[in-house]
Amino acid sequence: MSIAFLNDSYMPITEAKISPMDRGFLFGDGIYEVIPSYEGKLLGFNGHITRMQEGLAGIGLGLQWTHEDWETLCTKLASENGSGNLGIYLQVSRGADSKRYHAFPQDVAPTIFGFTFDIPASPVANKETAKRYTVSTSQDLRWQRCHIKSTALLGNVLHFQEGYSQGNDETLLYNDKNELTEASACNAFIVKDSVVITPPLDNQLLPGITRNMLVDILREDGSIRVEERPVTMDEVRTADEVWITSSTKEIGAVVSVDGAPVGDGQIGDIWLAAQTLFTQHKYDY
Ligand code: PDD
């Protein structure tokens, strides 16, 4: 039985109950995070908590929790749940009001929730064993604040389902200028002529912790050139490699976009070099 945290106590997940008046439930009014933990070792912890605190500030949700408070929670959740390969899900909503009213309520305590779920073992930089991802594409019809990791994920859910219903693992999204933004639950990269390129951070995409760590690791190493700049969908379709990144996938090599092979349809050499470097340096953050 998995152990969850709700507000101020730990309990079996089946005993964790929230009010239907919770604004997370009624409005999707909350912020969340997913942090991987491999054998009790948290990955990218500081980046995840800083992003959550920025998200909470961005939606005007005051919560006096420090990095240490979150670390205590994450460490306890991991150990209570067997310290294997876990995704730690954290969520803060604006709490349960007595009425359904759009304005922020006064004197309502936020709802704080955490639980864990099993994730695959830490990805390995090996072309033979790595998962080969396939993706669909779709115009990005989400909101204008995609840099906030909001629990209001219906736009992402609908986009994910588009790819899923076509037998694909993800959906790459593009704006009305035909430029790549991200994927429904991942950031996106292309490789062309050995240069790694990813869209710049702005309101159209989540500042992914994996994305940011990868860009940083590649720049520190210096052997592979990295550019953060707009990427057109024509560039995606003619790229040598396409990657999707997220905390639990790390760098996912995409071998087909809308049914057409990426490059020669095989996992590329730059992916191998990048995932190798990521594996070496990922606990430095
Ligand atoms: N998804 N973009 C979106 C829209 C995401 O939802 C995610 C993560 C990412 C990658 O961010 P990170 O590298 O920090 O995991 C990019 C999480 C894992 C989820 O919703 O389950």
Side-chain angles (χ1 to χ4, degrees), residues 12 48 104 106 120 139 181 248 278:
H48 282 282
F104 298 173
Q106 302 298 314
Q139 181 166 3
T181 57
T248 49
F278 193 86

Side-chain angles (χ1 to χ4, degrees), residues 32-36 48 51 89 117 142 146 149 153 156 170 173 182-188 205-212 245-250:
Y32 78 103
E33 274 300 330
V34 177
I35 307 177
H48 282 282
R51 180 174 67 187
Y89 179 91
F117 57 96
R142 301 172 301 162
C146 292
K149 200 163 172 65
L153 284 176
N156 302 62
E170 251 292 10
L173 304 173
E182 56 176 344
S184 68
C186 295
N187 291 109
L205 64 153
L206 189 76
I209 303 307
T210 319
R211 173 208 180 277
N212 294 349
T245 64
S246 81
S247 291
T248 49
K249 290 187 179 68
E250 297 190 1

Side-chain angles (χ1 to χ4, degrees), residues 35-36 42-50 209 213 282-283 285:
I35 307 177
L42 297 168
L43 181 55
F45 175 79
N46 283 319
H48 282 282
I49 298 303
T50 299
I209 303 307
M213 282 167 54
K282 64 187 181 184
Y283 289 113
Y285 292 80

Side-chain angles (χ1 to χ4, degrees), residues 189-197 239-243 270-271:
F189 288 70
I190 66 163
V191 179
K192 188 68 183 175
D193 299 329
S194 302
V195 180
V196 173
I197 312 162
D240 300 328
E241 300 183 29
V242 174
W243 306 337
I270 306 293
W271 173 84

Side-chain angles (χ1 to χ4, degrees), residues 100-117:
R100 180 181 176 277
Y101 183 54
H102 288 65
F104 298 173
Q106 302 298 314
D107 304 323
V108 166
T111 302
I112 303 170
F113 175 54
F115 76 103
T116 67
F117 57 96

